[in-house]
Amino acid sequence: MPTLIVVDRKGNEKAVTGEAGLSVMEVIRDNGFDELLALCGGSCSCATCHVHVDADWIARVGPAHEDETDLLDSSDHREPT
């Protein structure tokens, strides 16, 4: 089972365990993070649940895909990672 380290907007850190096959959004939502809007219900069409990947992990997870980049262009919270 994958473990995610989630840091909320206040800087609070929490490790959560996810079930293989679930999206990052589903794991975070199912672990009670109320800040996660996920307005699109997980269809990857609103970017309200986007994540910031630690720079040390970029090589492991790869760069954002073109469709992710297009969605993130509309976010006020976009960062290079």
Side-chain angles (χ1 to χ4, degrees), residues 2-81:
T3 299
L4 298 174
I5 306 300
V6 180
V7 182
D8 67 18
R9 290 186 179 143
K10 294 178 183 175
N12 301 313
E13 228 177 78
K14 181 179 178 184
V16 296
T17 301
E19 184 179 326
L22 292 179
S23 70
V24 171
M25 181 277 298
E26 291 168 319
V27 172
I28 294 172
R29 178 199 62 203
D30 293 350
N31 279 277
F33 288 89
D34 295 333
E35 295 175 340
L36 179 67
L37 298 176
L39 296 173
C40 67
S43 65
C44 300
S45 64
C46 71
T48 61
C49 66
H50 76 272
V51 300
H52 300 273
V53 178
D54 187 281
D56 293 340
W57 280 83
I58 295 295
R60 295 178 193 170
V61 299
H65 294 198
E66 185 177 341
D67 56 344
E68 292 172 310
T69 298
D70 289 344
L71 277 175
L72 291 172
D73 282 342
S74 65
S75 173
D76 293 337
H77 304 287
R78 183 166 190 180
E79 293 184 12
T81 61

